[in-house]
Amino acid sequence: MLVDIIYLQGGETLLSAADIIKKHIKLRGKSIEQLSQELRIPVKTLYDKLQNNRISTDDLFKMSILLDIDLEWMKSALGYTSPASLIERKGIKRMSKAYREQEYSIVLETLNRCISDGARNINEIKKELLATHTSLFYILDVLLAEEYSIVFVNERSREVLYVKPPWGENSLIRQPLIKGTQMLSNIIMGIMKG
């Protein structure tokens, strides 16, 4: 079985398994050469697998151990969950706190660079963030505190990313959801003002 890129209906691309593995290689301060030695496969073979997103499940399990990848989070990030129904929201597992803390500085650095380069338009900054980090889910997962939930909601036969704020948990009134793109705009605006 090969792990491949997952597309949501409507064409929004989530991370691929290779994207997540490459991020973890960098995060763990390793090189592809070191990982290939630990996996006992040629460097060119590993490089080709990562470039073409053709990772076997056996290699994925080995890499998850060597790179300390949370496979439960990876499963959610890749979209391997049941589809959102018309009435129920589909919750997505958040990344571990330690992983979020490590990734936070990387995403924040991109965000600050966009702001300091003169991009004053929030849409320009969002576009650059998405071009650099691939996935709205990933960016929100890194930037939001762990009290927030990220969910998919079925809207007109496609899954749309929303954020569920932590306030009002004990309220009898149904909690409002904030569209993922709007939440990212709010975060950027807060950082620009702060």
Side-chain angles (χ1 to χ4, degrees), residues 1-35:
M1 177 181 153
L2 296 175
V3 180
D4 228 332
I5 297 175
I6 300 299
Y7 293 93
L8 296 176
Q9 292 178 348
E12 182 184 344
T13 309
L14 290 175
L15 295 169
S16 70
D19 290 334
I20 293 172
I21 291 166
K22 286 186 244 181
K23 283 183 175 295
H24 275 79
I25 290 171
K26 184 178 178 181
L27 184 66
R28 303 295 181 234
K30 294 191 177 201
S31 67
I32 291 178
E33 292 79 16
Q34 289 172 312
L35 186 60

Side-chain angles (χ1 to χ4, degrees), residues 81-92:
T81 57
S82 59
S85 73
L86 292 174
I87 9 180
E88 291 184 28
R89 304 167 181 162
K90 177 176 71 173
I92 303 174

Side-chain angles (χ1 to χ4, degrees), residues 45-117:
T45 303
L46 179 58
Y47 180 78
D48 288 342
K49 287 180 178 194
L50 293 175
Q51 282 303 109
N52 298 313
N53 196 41
R54 296 286 177 212
I55 296 126
S56 69
T57 50
D58 187 49
D59 287 339
L60 178 63
F61 289 142
K62 289 176 186 175
M63 287 183 218
S64 74
I65 293 167
L66 294 170
L67 299 171
D68 191 28
I69 298 172
D70 180 349
L71 288 177
E72 281 299 311
W73 172 81
M74 187 177 192
K75 185 175 75 172
S76 292
L78 290 172
Y80 290 109
T81 57
S82 59
S85 73
L86 292 174
I87 9 180
E88 291 184 28
R89 304 167 181 162
K90 177 176 71 173
I92 303 174
K93 182 178 180 358
R94 299 287 306 275
M95 66 177 71
S96 69
K97 185 177 179 182
Y99 181 45
R100 185 179 309 110
E101 288 171 356
Q102 291 171 334
E103 292 290 290
Y104 182 81
S105 61
I106 297 166
V107 174
L108 194 61
E109 180 182 314
T110 305
L111 186 54
N112 286 328
R113 188 188 72 236
C114 292
I115 293 169
S116 67
D117 286 350

